Amino acid sequence: MLEKTYRPAEVEEKHYRLWEESGAFAPDPGSNAQPYTIMMPPPNVTGSLHMGHALTFTIQDVLIRFNRMRGRDALWQPGTDHAGIATQMVVERNLAKDGKTRHDFGRAAFIDKVWEWKAESGGTITSQLRRLGASADWSRERFTMDEGLSRAVRKVFVELHRQGLIYKDKRLVNWDPKLHTAISDLEVEQKEVKGNLWHFRYPIEGEEGRFITVATTRPETMLGDTGVAVHPEDERYKDLIGKHVVLPLVGRRIPIVGDEYADPETGSGAVKITPAHDFNDFEVGRRCGLAAINIMDRDARITGDDVPEAYRGLDRYEARKKVVAELEALELLEKIEPHTHMVPHGDRSGVAIEPWLTDQWYVDAATLAKPALEAVEAGKTVFVPKQWENTYFEWMRNIQPWCISRQIWWGHQIPAWYGPDGAFFVEETEEAARAAAAKHYGHEVELTRDQDVLDTWFSSALWPFSTLGWPDQTPELGRYYPTDVLVTGFDIIFFWVARMMMMGLHFMKDVPFRTIYIHALVRDEKGQKMSKSKGNVIDPLDLIGEYGTDALRFTLAAMAAQGRDIKLAVNRVEGYRNFATKLWNAARYCEMNGAIPVAGFRPENLTQTVNRWIVGALADCARRTGEAIDAYKFNEAANTTYQFTWGTFCDWYLEFTKPILNGTDEAAKAETRATTAWVLDEILHILHPLMPFITEELWEQLSADRPNRLIAARWPDHGDALTDPAARDEMDWVVRLISSVRSMRSEMNVPPSAQIALKLKDADPETLKRLETHRDLILRMARLSSVDPLDGAVPKSAVQDVLDGATLILPLEGIVDLDKERARLTKEIEKLAGEIKKIDAKLSNEQFVAKAPEEVIEEQRDRREAAAQTRDKLQKALDMLAA
């Protein structure tokens, strides 16, 4: 007998252990089944489960469990990312507690320390994914720094270099002056800073008393100016193009160039150009042939022979103050304006990053992007929702060289070795590099390996095929590549998705996945982005501890509507915990009433109308749920199963069949018990991908002789065999009639204890026949004293509703004051109309829409929608009142 209360914590640990120990998560590469593959986006080895993880891994697990149940050979390939900078910082912080730095150990010993940390603490995220129910094949778990993946990384680097697609270049990078490394755009956080806009006057060479004014938010960079740009069509400056200014403080002659980057409508229309310290200026400099003078070192201190000696060694902000003071003393500071602007900061170091000109390794991303663009244009890979294709196209068509080198120690060290004259040799091994160097120099020489490591995204770009054994041509590689779907967030479409597309097509000659499902953000209940600073972060592990894993998973699926962010409120999770309780209680009711699985039960042979109805409804639920999951409409899948389980099965079918179970017809009893048990079993099948733990527990408890665990059971696929249109229409009519009466009672505030006589007007013979057949059910469930055809005129004190061709009339004489009720409804409707009008005025105000935060606008829209729904409901109630 089932326990009275469902205890998620006890059940979840038990079933997960049994699944994993039994090999239930493992695919069967030798089977004839059609493969189905998902590559787990590798979470950082430093990470812990957050709500974004909970969403993406829930969705992936739903897909894997569903396709496994459909008989596909399902591989969910797990693994973690070495997360170069993040992991190095964690280990360095640990060393700092003992007053040590990585330099006290040296590179090799420090790397050993990182591996030690990984062995002790690197499994946190994967153990948390197990708590979420993730049914990945952990026996195949990979790590981006394990030897197999490292070999793939070296081979890709060498091959791309030989093909001219990897090269060294001096370009601008996002430089972190604290961590002393280049970082990717994804590791740059834009922060709003209240600063100034300084307007400087640069004297025109040879024209005494004539100046050109430029404005800047970073005065210190003027020491590295190599030009001033104006728009070629700007009449104010046309005569100056080709002339020079004398750079104040430095004395350097720099040209005035014509370039469309200068906007005549902004500021003075003239802009200073510092190619070595601004990304836009770098491009202007290349177009106009301007020099790029680096005036900073790796600490963002002023350096170099091209700057006045008095500035050398100054911190960038100290230099800023000195530049402003000296230009003011020279009467070249025209004005200072307060200016709030966005300043890029390193997301881990917290310091302002510096665009810095330095030698780095680059990938020719533009060449690799062409086939990746064409693949999506041709539909070889599709985005869901489709609008994300536009984001992908925009990025790929404007792609820049990809900086892949990082100045840290933890990561894949670049396989390049330098000879005594600086010539370098790119090879997979040091032995091969020595051989190449000996051939180049004619004798053996001492080689020094490149100290940089590769950008973490470089190794994760190979994930779809490196995890399957590439560069070896393994059976798994042949069977599971390309994968079926990638599930990820929109923020890494460029950083990861696009790069996997490029690498997959280049090395495997096929796309890495057929579908890319982009899920939305999980926000707080007000629609605000979760952040520690706001204090609105919801920890998924806390919710799991409080409400159970199934409740959290079902909540996330139910709210995962395509293209809409999730506003997560804890009470939603609590509500779906109640759904799990409802399912558990329904199973206990079935068990207590002898509804246990019957071997050989055939649902197509049923005699009772109510039983034929429920098995047909069940088959329809299974079909619609499967179609929704196939279409990545997880909210529809969850809502379909919810409505059927709670509504159709628990609230209607179990109530409809109570008279049968309490009656004297033994054959009808036996059929109904068997049907009830069969439908409950099928519900467990359908709910399993969404709520794996409670369904597996009930599956195990409700029958002792199952041939397999639920995770390995087949998905219900009954086609149209169980659909009985006559039974469906008849029982649906009963449901709609009872629902309509309940609605009328509710809207008119009829006391629950009041027994009322329902009248039917214009009822056809079919309706009267159904009424006679189900009279007792209708009376009991709608709380009516009688149900009869109307004889005579419609009573004045009555409410009405239409059901098919008949009119339902509920006389309320002496029970409800209809005039008072009519007045109440009218007043409520007017109040709501006024509220909607106010919101509409706000939303049609262009200034409000332009200035208000996104979450505030979304909140107004939600309020309007809620008010409109309530108004329409009240209007229907008013319309039901008889004239």
Side-chain angles (χ1 to χ4, degrees):
M1 179 64 72
L2 287 169
E3 294 281 342
K4 188 174 183 181
T5 306
Y6 173 57
R7 296 182 179 87
E10 298 170 17
V11 165
E12 290 168 5
E13 191 280 329
K14 175 186 76 171
H15 285 301
Y16 198 91
R17 177 173 44 80
L18 291 172
W19 287 331
E20 195 167 0
E21 287 173 358
S22 68
F25 303 157
D28 181 4
S31 76
N32 293 322
Q34 184 183 358
Y36 181 85
T37 314
I38 294 179
M39 288 288 159
M40 177 183 287
N44 284 356
V45 71
T46 58
S48 58
L49 193 70
H50 57 63
M51 204 55 79
H53 286 140
L55 173 63
T56 188
F57 291 119
T58 292
I59 288 171
Q60 289 170 69
D61 195 51
V62 168
L63 289 166
I64 282 289
R65 288 178 184 269
F66 171 64
N67 281 285
R68 190 184 286 130
M69 293 176 80
R70 287 205 300 182
R72 301 281 294 272
D73 177 32
L75 166 63
W76 188 9
Q77 171 64 54
T80 51
D81 190 281
H82 66 277
I85 294 175
T87 305
Q88 179 160 316
M89 285 185 70
V90 167
V91 177
E92 287 195 87
R93 277 198 296 266
N94 290 339
L95 295 178
K97 293 173 186 173
D98 299 323
K100 302 278 189 183
T101 73
R102 60 186 161 118
H103 300 287
D104 293 319
F105 290 85
R107 185 173 192 138
F110 176 75
I111 296 300
D112 289 341
K113 288 283 183 188
V114 181
W115 280 109
E116 285 174 23
W117 174 87
K118 196 257 180 188
E120 291 171 15
S121 308
T124 300
I125 185 69
T126 55
S127 65
Q128 291 171 340
L129 289 175
R130 286 171 167 89
R131 284 198 68 187
L132 192 67
S135 60
D137 183 5
W138 297 107
S139 69
R140 296 174 182 270
E141 184 179 349
R142 304 305 298 269
F143 178 54
T144 48
M145 285 284 285
D146 69 30
E147 180 45 42
L149 272 65
S150 295
R151 185 161 68 98
V153 166
R154 291 192 296 270
K155 185 172 181 63
V156 165
F157 188 97
V158 171
E159 287 197 15
L160 290 177
H161 180 262
R162 286 176 182 164
Q163 293 162 5
L165 297 171
I166 282 182
Y167 56 92
K168 290 198 80 169
D169 195 8
K170 189 182 283 288
R171 294 178 63 90
L172 282 192
V173 296
N174 296 313
W175 184 259
D176 190 312
K178 182 177 179 181
L179 299 181
H180 295 148
T181 182
I183 59 176
S184 73
D185 288 344
L186 194 64
E187 294 158 320
V188 173
E189 184 181 18
Q190 297 292 339
K191 292 184 180 179
E192 190 173 82
V193 172
K194 290 182 178 179
N196 291 312
L197 195 60
W198 287 270
H199 296 254
F200 299 144
R201 296 191 299 161
Y202 287 6
I204 309 295
E205 183 186 46
E207 296 192 29
E208 188 72 28
R210 190 177 180 189
F211 302 88
I212 190 167
T213 300
V214 297
T216 181
T217 58
R218 299 196 301 153
E220 67 280 8
T221 63
M222 64 84 63
L223 300 171
D225 284 359
T226 58
V228 172
V230 296
H231 195 281
E233 303 303 319
D234 193 333
E235 293 295 336
R236 294 171 295 176
Y237 303 121
K238 265 190 175 180
D239 67 311
L240 288 178
I241 294 174
K243 294 185 178 181
H244 292 74
V245 299
V246 178
L247 186 62
L249 307 182
V250 181
R252 186 166 55 242
R253 291 174 73 248
I254 60 175
I256 300 171
V257 297
D259 192 277
E260 291 183 356
Y261 170 64
D263 181 1
E265 304 299 319
T266 302
S268 67
V271 289
K272 59 190 280 305
I273 303 298
T274 321
H277 295 282
D278 183 277
F279 288 100
N280 290 318
D281 291 5
F282 182 78
E283 296 302 327
V284 175
R286 285 211 160 177
R287 286 196 296 270
C288 300
L290 302 178
I293 299 175
N294 198 344
I295 61 161
M296 291 188 195
D297 64 13
R298 68 179 200 154
D299 295 306
R301 290 183 175 276
I302 305 302
T303 188
D305 296 336
D306 293 291
V307 297
E309 191 172 343
Y311 285 87
R312 295 172 199 167
L314 291 182
D315 171 79
R316 53 184 163 169
Y317 299 118
E318 292 171 1
R320 175 176 299 181
K321 293 174 186 174
K322 188 173 178 65
V323 164
V324 172
E326 292 202 359
L327 287 176
E328 185 173 20
L330 293 170
E331 297 184 349
L332 295 176
L333 175 61
E334 186 171 288
K335 62 179 176 178
I336 304 174
E337 293 177 313
H339 183 65
T340 299
H341 60 132
M342 304 304 288
V343 176
H345 285 67
D347 67 347
R348 290 189 170 87
S349 67
V351 303
I353 67 106
E354 199 59 55
W356 198 45
L357 189 64
T358 178
D359 284 312
Q360 301 283 351
W361 290 92
Y362 287 89
V363 171
D364 178 0
T367 298
L368 290 175
K370 287 174 186 172
L373 257 171
E374 291 164 4
V376 176
E377 287 169 340
K380 292 178 183 175
T381 294
V382 297
F383 277 83
V384 178
K386 190 175 174 61
Q387 67 259 28
W388 287 111
E389 287 181 4
N390 296 327
T391 302
Y392 176 82
F393 291 148
E394 178 68 21
W395 277 333
M396 296 294 265
R397 287 169 184 154
N398 296 285
I399 199 164
Q400 296 295 309
W402 171 17
C403 176
I404 55 171
S405 42
R406 298 290 182 265
Q407 291 67 51
I408 58 175
W409 287 354
W410 173 242
H412 295 101
Q413 194 169 353
I414 287 174
W417 285 263
Y418 296 86
D421 60 354
F424 57 84
F425 306 91
V426 174
E427 299 290 346
E428 290 185 49
T429 65
E430 186 171 352
E431 291 73 24
R434 289 189 182 283
K439 185 178 178 182
H440 172 78
Y441 291 109
H443 55 85
E444 286 194 4
V445 295
E446 191 71 29
L447 294 180
T448 304
R449 188 166 184 179
D450 196 305
Q451 293 296 297
D452 288 355
V453 301
L454 286 163
D455 175 15
T456 301
W457 296 108
F458 189 89
S459 50
S460 55
L462 317 182
W463 190 252
F465 54 92
S466 63
T467 50
L468 297 174
W470 188 92
D472 296 333
Q473 296 304 306
T474 63
E476 288 83 357
L477 187 64
R479 179 167 176 78
Y480 298 112
Y481 187 97
T483 69
D484 288 80
V485 59
L486 174 74
V487 178
T488 189
F490 66 87
D491 53 336
I492 54 174
I493 290 176
F494 174 65
F495 293 97
W496 189 45
V497 178
R499 288 163 180 174
M500 283 191 289
M501 288 287 286
M502 291 190 281
M503 293 299 195
L505 282 159
H506 192 78
F507 288 96
M508 296 295 296
K509 308 307 176 192
D510 200 352
V511 294
F513 14 75
R514 301 299 185 203
T515 301
I516 300 166
Y517 173 76
I518 302 294
H519 62 71
L521 281 177
V522 185
R523 298 178 178 271
D524 71 7
E525 60 185 306
K526 295 178 180 176
Q528 294 187 329
K529 196 171 180 178
M530 291 187 195
S531 70
K532 290 179 182 176
S533 60
K534 289 179 184 172
N536 64 345
V537 173
I538 303 173
D539 187 333
L541 295 171
D542 289 345
L543 294 179
I544 287 172
E546 180 77 16
Y547 303 109
T549 299
D550 290 325
L552 175 61
R553 287 172 59 114
F554 201 90
T555 303
L556 293 169
M559 301 183 78
Q562 289 182 13
R564 289 193 65 179
D565 286 348
I566 291 173
K567 293 181 185 177
L568 185 66
V570 174
N571 62 6
R572 288 293 295 267
V573 186
E574 185 179 6
Y576 289 121
R577 188 273 314 274
N578 296 342
F579 175 52
T581 301
K582 182 83 170 178
L583 177 65
W584 186 265
N585 290 342
R588 288 187 77 243
Y589 167 85
C590 295
E591 192 179 41
M592 288 188 292
N593 282 277
I596 57 175
V598 175
F601 175 79
R602 296 186 63 79
E604 60 271 25
N605 295 337
L606 297 170
T607 61
Q608 299 292 311
T609 300
V610 70
N611 292 335
R612 296 199 306 276
W613 165 68
I614 196 63
V615 299
L618 179 283
D620 182 59
C621 173
R623 177 186 58 78
R624 290 192 294 125
T625 302
E627 288 173 352
I629 295 174
D630 268 335
Y632 306 101
K633 296 179 178 178
F634 301 99
N635 59 317
E636 291 184 14
N639 292 329
T640 297
T641 57
Y642 179 91
Q643 296 298 337
F644 177 81
T645 304
W646 191 309
T648 307
F649 181 68
C650 295
D651 287 355
W652 295 110
Y653 176 73
L654 295 184
E655 288 296 323
F656 285 169
T657 54
K658 280 180 179 177
I660 299 176
L661 297 180
N662 294 327
T664 56
D665 186 335
E666 294 301 324
K669 274 187 187 180
E671 177 186 291
T672 300
R673 286 189 181 117
T675 302
T676 303
W678 182 85
V679 172
L680 178 59
D681 259 8
E682 297 290 281
I683 286 172
L684 299 181
H685 283 73
I686 297 167
L687 278 173
H688 180 75
L690 297 156
M691 306 178 84
F693 291 109
I694 190 172
T695 53
E696 188 74 81
E697 177 69 9
L698 288 172
W699 177 260
E700 179 185 273
Q701 294 255 14
L702 292 173
S703 180
D705 56 354
R706 306 281 197 189
N708 51 261
R709 298 179 65 75
L710 181 57
I711 191 174
R714 293 305 293 262
W715 179 262
D717 184 6
H718 303 291
D720 297 326
L722 301 183
T723 302
D724 183 331
R728 178 193 63 208
D729 294 347
E730 183 172 330
M731 297 311 300
D732 282 355
W733 178 85
V734 176
V735 169
R736 288 186 292 120
L737 187 147
I738 295 169
S739 299
S740 182
V741 173
R742 286 175 173 177
S743 177
M744 286 191 283
R745 294 181 64 119
S746 171
E747 298 298 346
M748 296 304 125
N749 292 320
V750 175
S753 59
Q755 298 280 315
I756 306 172
L758 178 68
K759 302 295 182 183
L760 267 69
K761 180 186 176 190
D762 302 328
D764 60 20
E766 179 72 15
T767 297
L768 294 174
K769 182 183 175 185
R770 288 172 176 172
L771 179 61
E772 205 53 47
T773 302
H774 301 287
R775 181 182 297 275
D776 290 343
L777 268 185
I778 293 166
L779 292 176
R780 176 169 62 88
M781 296 184 70
R783 292 178 179 163
L784 299 171
S785 58
S786 62
V787 184
D788 297 295
L790 178 68
D791 184 17
V794 176
K796 282 191 176 180
S797 297
V799 288
Q800 302 180 29
D801 199 6
V802 176
L803 179 67
D804 299 341
T807 302
L808 308 181
I809 299 166
L810 201 64
L812 297 178
E813 183 73 46
I815 299 171
V816 175
D817 184 334
L818 293 189
D819 287 338
K820 189 175 178 183
E821 194 59 30
R822 198 177 283 113
R824 180 186 73 82
L825 290 169
T826 302
K827 186 177 179 182
E828 285 293 323
I829 290 166
E830 287 172 354
K831 183 180 174 184
L832 287 164
E835 188 177 336
I836 291 168
K837 188 176 179 181
K838 280 183 186 175
I839 296 171
D840 284 343
K842 270 188 184 178
L843 293 175
S844 61
N845 183 328
E846 290 181 9
Q847 282 193 323
F848 171 76
V849 173
K851 291 180 181 177
E854 182 185 334
E855 59 265 22
V856 171
I857 295 170
E858 190 64 29
E859 183 188 7
Q860 291 294 318
R861 287 180 180 142
D862 289 347
R863 279 182 57 197
R864 190 200 186 285
E865 185 179 347
Q869 286 178 354
T870 305
R871 177 201 61 194
D872 294 345
K873 185 179 173 186
L874 295 177
Q875 186 62 52
K876 185 185 175 189
L878 187 61
D879 293 342
M880 283 195 298
L881 290 168

